[in-house]
Amino acid sequence: MIYSLTGRLIHKQNSVAVVECAGVGYSCQTTNQTLSRLSGDTVTLFTYMHITENSLDLFGFATRDELDLFKMLISVSGVGPKAALAILNEYTPDRLLLFIASGDAKMITKAQGVGPKLAQRIVLELKDKASKQLPSGVIAAPDDIFSSQSEISVGKDNLSQAVAALVSLGYSRSEAVSALSAVDPSLDADDMIRQALLRLARI
C-alpha cells in the first residue's frame, strides 16, 4: 500500500494531480482544496488506493486530516470515493466534522450527487466519530436531531446560550457552532453572540 508520494508536481487539473517520483508519474484523484494547496516543484500527497474488480484508483490529499475524513466517508454504506470527493470539495474537514457532529444533514446535500437519504446516513453512522474529533468546548447535537418536534437542549453555560440564540435567529446549529468555535469562550454570552454574528456576516 502506498502511504504517500513526494515528488515533482507535473500536472494538476479537474480534481487530478500528477506527481512524478523517480521518473514515474502517479495520477491521484483529489479535491479542489488539495489542488489549491499544491505549489512549488516538490509536493507531498497522503494517499489511498481503491481497488475493485475493474479498476485501481489512487487518491491523494495534502493533509492527513483530509485523507482520514475521506476514509471515514467511504466507510459509510453507499458512499463511494466519488461521493466522498464531492463532499470534501464542498467543505473543509473541520467544517464537515461540525456538520456531521451537529446532525446537519441538509448542509451535506449541497455536495454534488449527495441526496437527503445518503446525507442522513452519513450523519447517523459518523456522528459519534465526528464528535470525538471536534475541539474541546464544541457542543454536539442531541440524539433526536432528526425529529421535527425535537427541541434543542442546551445547558446553562455561555457557549450553550450563544448557540441557542444563534439558532433562534435562523442559523443552523452547525453554523452557530462553527462561528462560535473561534470566539473567546471566556466572554459572556452577549459578547460571544456579537462576535459570532460578525463572523457569520463575512461567510
Side-chain angles (χ1 to χ4, degrees):
M1 187 65 68
I2 302 174
Y3 177 81
S4 65
L5 294 174
T6 297
R8 187 167 64 93
L9 179 67
I10 59 176
H11 179 71
K12 66 173 184 177
Q13 185 179 9
N14 297 331
S15 298
V16 172
V18 181
V19 180
E20 184 182 63
C21 304
V24 179
Y26 293 87
S27 177
C28 298
Q29 297 184 51
T30 188
T31 65
N32 293 331
Q33 295 188 53
T34 281
L35 289 177
S36 68
R37 287 171 173 258
L38 299 181
S39 61
D41 291 334
T42 301
V43 298
T44 295
L45 292 177
F46 298 97
T47 58
Y48 175 85
M49 187 176 291
H50 184 72
I51 302 173
T52 65
E53 291 183 1
N54 301 315
S55 66
L56 189 157
D57 297 310
L58 190 63
F59 298 84
F61 304 92
T63 66
R64 282 289 319 181
D65 288 343
E66 197 171 23
L67 172 60
D68 290 343
L69 194 45
F70 174 81
K71 290 180 179 179
M72 281 177 58
L73 288 169
I74 63 174
S75 72
V76 176
S77 175
V79 179
K82 288 184 178 180
L85 282 183
I87 295 170
L88 289 170
N89 269 331
E90 195 71 31
Y91 301 113
T92 63
D94 287 345
R95 194 164 178 80
L96 180 58
L97 285 172
L98 283 168
F99 292 143
I100 295 172
S102 62
D104 197 342
K106 184 178 180 180
M107 294 298 291
I108 301 175
T109 62
K110 291 186 177 183
Q112 185 176 2
V114 179
K117 290 184 178 179
L118 184 58
Q120 191 173 83
R121 189 182 306 138
I122 290 170
V123 169
L124 288 172
E125 294 190 24
L126 299 182
K127 180 180 171 184
D128 289 342
K129 291 181 180 178
S131 297
K132 292 177 181 177
Q133 295 187 38
L134 290 173
S136 59
V138 176
I139 305 170
D143 290 336
D144 60 348
I145 190 71
F146 295 111
S147 171
S148 60
Q149 302 299 321
S150 67
E151 294 182 0
I152 297 176
S153 175
V154 297
K156 295 181 179 180
D157 58 280
N158 291 340
L159 183 57
S160 295
Q161 292 178 39
V163 170
L166 292 172
V167 169
S168 71
L169 291 173
Y171 294 100
S172 70
R173 189 180 182 88
S174 56
E175 287 175 325
V177 170
S178 178
L180 288 164
S181 65
V183 173
D184 185 351
S186 66
L187 296 174
D188 60 35
D190 289 343
D191 288 337
M192 293 178 73
I193 294 166
R194 290 191 192 96
Q195 290 196 20
L197 287 172
L198 289 174
R199 290 181 59 82
L200 288 165
R202 294 196 293 266
I203 295 177

